[in-house]
Amino acid sequence: MTISYNKLWKLMIDKNINKTKLREEAGISSNAMAKLGKNESVQLEVLAKICKTLDCDFGDLIEYVPQGDSIEDGEIKHD
């Protein structure tokens, strides 16, 4: 299973907030932020803090990438 956080990065651009500011305002660790940057799994609590900070829902942050598909240059490629 692969997860993409591309929606989060786009939302951050729309709300004019960078990773450092989000990390500080949401109260999440730099380790959690690094995992997000690598499309790795993070605790639901981390995503909940981000949702509260950005006033959004989980679906606004993440996208499920079906097995067999891949993420290249920030885009999901359907094989």
Side-chain angles (χ1 to χ4, degrees), residues 15-68:
K15 294 189 178 259
N16 197 28
I17 186 169
N18 63 33
K19 290 181 181 181
T20 302
K21 187 174 179 180
L22 176 64
R23 186 179 58 76
E24 292 171 353
E25 289 186 13
I28 59 176
S29 69
S30 54
N31 184 43
M33 213 56 213
K35 284 184 174 187
L36 290 167
K38 297 176 188 174
N39 288 319
E40 295 178 1
S41 296
V42 296
Q43 293 181 352
L44 231 66
E45 181 181 351
V46 170
L47 297 176
K49 288 179 178 182
I50 292 171
C51 285
K52 182 177 180 182
T53 302
L54 297 179
D55 190 30
C56 65
D57 198 278
F58 291 134
D60 298 323
L61 306 179
I62 62 175
E63 185 174 13
Y64 169 72
V65 181
Q67 193 166 3

